[in-house]
Amino acid sequence: MSEIFGMVDIATIERLADIINSKELSEVTIVDGGKTITIKGKKCPPPPPMQPMMPPPFAGAAPTAPPTAGESVSVEEKAPELSGNIVKSPIVGTFYAAPSPDKPPFVRVGDEVKKGDVIMIIESMKLMNEIQSEFDGVVEKILVSDGQAIEYDQPIMIIK
């Protein structure tokens, strides 16, 4: 076959085109002195859209093997029973045990409280909400840590 532009013959161009298609290349350019030949392949489709990242599944949610014949399963996982007067969060926010980082906490385990005493602050929407005790008694347990995010109706402390 004859050479095109004094560089490449038709058979070579066809072989290059086959390589472009088989390798899914977008183009090949050949330069010889001042002469240039560009062979373009099919346009590549745009990459598929990215899937949104899902949070990893909860580690405790791994499936368990089903019980075999003759084996019974009666294990019930329950939250520990809370007894006493349970102080629950009246709002969603952040729990603070003290009025400021350099001040002592409002209450500690073992402290005696009276109805109406401020026992914590819950920050919600940049507002500091002082929460008062609804019970008289002794603080038995504080269920959350300082600075922890809390949900509405979440148990915060137990007063007996």
Side-chain angles (χ1 to χ4, degrees):
M1 296 204 161
S2 65
E3 289 188 16
I4 299 176
F5 300 119
M7 293 175 29
V8 192
D9 61 29
I10 298 284
T12 303
I13 293 173
E14 287 175 346
R15 284 194 306 266
L16 289 171
D18 289 341
I19 291 170
I20 289 171
N21 288 331
S22 67
K23 302 289 185 184
E24 297 180 6
L25 301 173
S26 59
E27 69 181 47
V28 169
T29 300
I30 300 173
V31 179
D32 182 23
K35 300 174 186 168
T36 303
I37 295 178
T38 300
I39 303 170
K40 294 187 177 187
K42 295 178 185 175
K43 288 193 174 185
C44 296
M50 295 284 293
Q51 294 293 328
M53 291 192 63
M54 299 300 292
F58 178 65
T64 57
T68 58
E71 184 180 335
S72 65
V73 175
S74 63
V75 176
E76 293 181 25
E77 292 186 30
K78 292 184 181 178
E81 290 286 326
L82 301 177
S83 61
N85 296 315
I86 300 170
V87 178
K88 295 183 178 182
S89 175
I91 54 177
V92 173
T94 304
F95 168 81
Y96 292 110
S100 67
D102 59 335
K103 301 282 184 190
F106 291 107
V107 294
R108 291 186 173 100
V109 173
D111 286 355
E112 187 173 326
V113 294
K114 296 201 182 315
K115 186 175 181 176
D117 288 350
V118 175
I119 55 174
M120 71 182 96
I121 290 179
I122 298 178
E123 177 186 5
S124 182
M125 298 179 63
K126 304 289 182 189
L127 294 175
M128 299 298 185
N129 301 283
E130 291 185 342
I131 308 302
Q132 298 176 344
S133 176
E134 299 175 10
F135 314 105
D136 289 336
V138 176
V139 177
E140 181 179 278
K141 191 169 189 178
I142 299 175
L143 305 169
V144 294
S145 57
D146 195 46
Q148 180 179 335
I150 54 173
E151 297 294 325
Y152 170 76
D153 213 30
Q154 177 180 342
I156 304 296
M157 92 180 42
I158 300 172
I159 299 175
K160 283 195 174 183

